[in-house]
Amino acid sequence: MENWNLTSDFILLGLFNHTGAHLFLFTLVLTTAFISLVGNALMLLLILLDPRLHRPMYFLLSQLSLMDMMLVSTTVPKIAADYLTGRNSISPVGCGLQIFFFLTLGGGECFLLAAMSYDRYVAICHPLRYPVLMSWPLCLRMILGSWLLGAVDGLMQAAATLTFSYCSSHEIDHFFCEAPSLVRLACADTSLFESVMYICCVLMLLVPISLILISYSLILATVLQMHSNEARKKAFATCSSHLSVVGLFFGAAIFTYMRPKSYRSANHDKIVSAFYTIFTPVLNPLIYSLRNSEVKGALRKCIYRCAALKHD
């Protein structure tokens, strides 16, 4: 096959065709993305405006909402533009940027969820030492570290992916530029890069999830020793919301990136990628708002304030 240079565009085959059923699914994706953006923006606004939420736990949550908003914005506008205009092309630069932002946000969210589990561990197991063990400087370092580790992974994979020579078949069987899907089109031997990419994925997924499991094992041991049923119930309610988010995000990511190559399927990859890039971000604000009395209180306060301004 002839080599294909990086001045030409890639073609994204996308998620949908123009049948009635796919039009319904496209509308569902747009509606979900809109709800996700509004829900996460509202979460950010509540944490910013309510002084009671100016604590490390909620600052970490605000970063999760910001990452989810950016993750949705990385993929959905392109999906919508391609479907509505029929132009499925994407430039190499655009493809590289999608890979960079997707991996930065996905990798950053992995480490941010680990930081959130440490916050819950300190709050439940060492409540009296919380201001010391979860100080603002430490919180800021964990957040910056999450963004930085994600950005390093994204930059490395985006740069390496675009250095390959691509063959005349330039159709990416996906709805956005994802490194594994793009590498399949390369003419060169990519086995070394794929091995390094696999190791990066293992580190970005297994290190945070190991820290999360350690934190929640220690939390569970502490909760089971509590004598107060009310304290035990509150601890379980707080942790179950976080574990729901962790399970959804890591489950989908591990299924996508850690399966053996022989078990991979383009259709399965697209469905699972749609789940954790479009549908998981809409669940995070719902899970945290419905299971958190302080967030619900801040929301009620905001609604009352808006209603009072409307009547003035």
Side-chain angles (χ1 to χ4, degrees):
M1 299 177 74
E2 62 182 273
N3 283 356
W4 181 74
N5 61 51
L6 282 176
T7 60
S8 305
D9 289 348
F10 295 103
I11 303 297
L12 294 169
L13 297 184
L15 271 174
F16 310 114
N17 55 42
H18 289 272
T19 62
H22 279 226
L23 178 60
F24 170 76
L25 291 173
F26 172 71
T27 306
L28 179 64
V29 164
L30 282 191
T31 304
T32 304
F34 177 76
I35 294 170
S36 174
L37 290 172
V38 171
N40 283 294
L42 181 60
M43 185 70 75
L44 271 171
L45 191 65
L46 289 175
I47 292 169
L48 178 68
L49 295 179
D50 197 314
R52 293 174 299 176
L53 303 183
H54 292 176
R55 302 206 304 271
M57 170 187 172
Y58 293 107
F59 192 53
L60 292 168
L61 181 55
S62 73
Q63 296 301 298
L64 181 66
S65 291
L66 178 60
M67 286 181 177
D68 282 340
M69 289 174 67
M70 292 178 68
L71 190 61
V72 170
S73 302
T74 299
T75 56
V76 174
K78 180 61 179 167
I79 295 171
D82 288 350
Y83 187 80
L84 295 173
T85 64
R87 294 181 57 193
N88 296 340
S89 62
I90 183 168
S91 69
V93 172
C95 202
L97 286 172
Q98 267 201 334
I99 292 171
F100 170 72
F101 281 112
F102 176 76
L103 291 173
T104 296
L105 297 165
E109 193 159 325
C110 289
F111 287 101
L112 187 68
L113 288 170
M116 292 173 74
S117 72
Y118 171 76
D119 173 80
R120 292 299 82 211
Y121 159 72
V122 175
I124 292 171
C125 299
H126 304 283
L128 298 180
R129 300 180 63 199
Y130 184 86
V132 176
L133 296 177
M134 193 60 196
S135 62
W136 276 109
L138 177 60
C139 179
L140 292 173
R141 283 197 294 271
M142 287 195 295
I143 288 169
L144 288 173
S146 298
W147 281 99
L148 183 61
L149 288 168
V152 168
D153 182 46
L155 186 61
M156 285 171 52
Q157 291 204 39
T161 302
L162 294 179
T163 59
F164 291 117
S165 296
Y166 290 92
C167 300
S168 56
S169 175
H170 53 279
E171 294 182 340
I172 302 173
D173 194 4
H174 216 302
F175 60 89
F176 70 99
C177 277
E178 192 179 34
S181 300
L182 188 58
V183 165
R184 292 192 194 113
L185 305 180
C187 297
D189 179 17
T190 61
S191 55
L192 177 61
F193 172 73
E194 289 183 67
S195 298
V196 173
M197 186 168 62
Y198 185 79
I199 292 168
C200 284
C201 290
V202 167
L203 292 174
M204 297 294 281
L205 290 170
L206 292 189
V207 171
I209 204 167
S210 299
L211 295 173
I212 290 168
L213 290 174
I214 290 169
S215 294
Y216 278 99
S217 298
L218 295 171
I219 288 170
L220 181 62
T222 301
V223 168
L224 292 176
Q225 293 173 6
M226 289 179 176
H227 300 295
S228 167
N229 285 333
E230 188 64 30
R232 190 181 298 176
K233 192 184 297 182
K234 185 177 178 181
F236 273 126
T238 304
C239 294
S240 61
S241 60
H242 184 208
L243 283 173
S244 301
V245 173
V246 167
L248 290 169
F249 183 81
F250 279 96
I254 288 171
F255 180 82
T256 300
Y257 290 103
M258 293 185 63
R259 279 178 301 158
K261 201 173 179 180
S262 56
Y263 289 92
R264 294 191 69 132
S265 151
N267 287 332
H268 287 163
D269 285 351
K270 284 194 277 189
I271 292 167
V272 177
S273 294
F275 178 76
Y276 73 83
T277 59
I278 300 168
F279 292 100
T280 301
V282 79
L283 296 175
N284 291 349
L286 292 174
I287 289 170
Y288 280 106
S289 61
L290 293 175
R291 301 299 299 272
N292 190 299
S293 58
E294 290 178 317
V295 172
K296 285 191 286 188
L299 181 59
R300 280 194 296 267
K301 184 179 174 183
C302 184
I303 292 170
Y304 293 149
R305 189 180 298 172
C306 291
L309 288 173
K310 190 175 179 181
H311 285 98
D312 285 346

